[in-house]
Amino acid sequence: MGTVTLGVSIAVPEPYGSQLQELRAGFGDAAAHGIPTHVTLVPPTEVEADRLPAIRAHLTEVAAAFPAFPMRLSGTGTFRPVSPVVFVRIAEGVAGCTRLQAEVRDPSGPLSRELAFPYHPHVTVAHGISEEAMDLAFTTLADYAAEWVCDGFALYEQGSDGVWRKLREYPFGSGPIGVPAQPGSPADQTAEAAGATVRPS
């Protein structure tokens, strides 16, 4: 069946998600429109396609038992010079994200993997662009603030065109989750078939 490249993340909800995505594109990050604004739980991971059912079952189990928690973004940070990244800082919700990603990457589960760096939840707004453009991103969003209740996460697949598309949402417990489908994703196509309106990012 071959392999697929997956990622698990918390989507930054609207209107914040689209705002930050447009700003990222404006800073010159060519990948911006192919990456929904998010907080990473599992970074890009290549797996055998036949492992998808086990991965979905695992994520369903993790989400069902996880409580919603508040998220608040405030200001900017950077991983430079170690990594060419500028991000919006998570001022509240770090503990929830850290615990959640540990459960998703449980060593006994189908998404077990080592990380290149210690886990540090954040929202990337510039990656791999010029130093001047990253400095602009850092200062432009220095006073940025947003908050919401995180009530779930989603599984994404990276297409051959480099675009990340949502495969499935995983709400915590039995509550609803507002993660917008990306254009062209299976969820987006299902919504269109049902006559629903999907907000593009």
Side-chain angles (χ1 to χ4, degrees):
M1 294 182 65
T3 63
V4 292
T5 300
L6 304 177
V8 181
S9 63
I10 296 168
V12 175
E14 298 300 341
Y16 314 121
S18 292
Q19 290 171 353
L20 291 174
Q21 192 173 41
E22 290 302 320
L23 284 166
R24 181 172 178 173
F27 298 137
D29 192 329
H33 287 300
I35 306 174
T37 308
H38 68 284
V39 178
T40 297
L41 297 174
V42 178
T45 302
E46 187 174 352
V47 303
E48 295 295 328
D50 60 7
R51 289 174 55 191
L52 270 171
I55 289 170
R56 289 182 171 127
H58 169 65
L59 295 178
T60 298
E61 183 178 353
V62 170
F66 211 89
F69 58 93
M71 291 279 287
R72 181 166 58 88
L73 307 182
S74 179
T76 50
T78 182
F79 293 132
R80 294 182 291 173
V82 176
S83 182
V85 172
V86 171
F87 57 86
V88 172
R89 295 187 308 107
I90 296 178
E92 184 177 6
V94 171
C97 292
T98 301
R99 179 183 153 214
L100 180 58
Q101 65 86 32
E103 293 192 15
V104 170
R105 291 191 306 107
D106 189 302
S108 64
L111 279 174
S112 174
R113 61 159 291 174
E114 295 296 323
L115 300 180
F117 302 99
Y119 182 70
H120 184 284
H122 62 280
V123 178
T124 297
V125 291
H127 180 212
I129 56 179
S130 70
E131 288 295 322
E132 293 78 11
M134 285 195 284
D135 288 342
L136 178 62
F138 189 88
T139 56
T140 299
L141 292 166
D143 296 323
Y144 186 82
E147 58 184 284
W148 71 95
V149 174
C150 176
D151 54 7
F153 57 87
L155 174 67
Y156 292 83
E157 179 182 350
Q158 186 178 38
S160 58
D161 56 0
V163 174
W164 287 91
R165 296 179 175 89
K166 184 177 63 177
L167 294 181
R168 185 173 172 184
E169 302 167 353
Y170 295 88
F172 296 150
S174 58
I177 177 172
V179 179
Q182 295 301 300
S185 71
D188 175 48
Q189 293 163 1
T190 299
E192 288 182 351
T197 299
V198 178
R199 180 196 299 267
S201 296

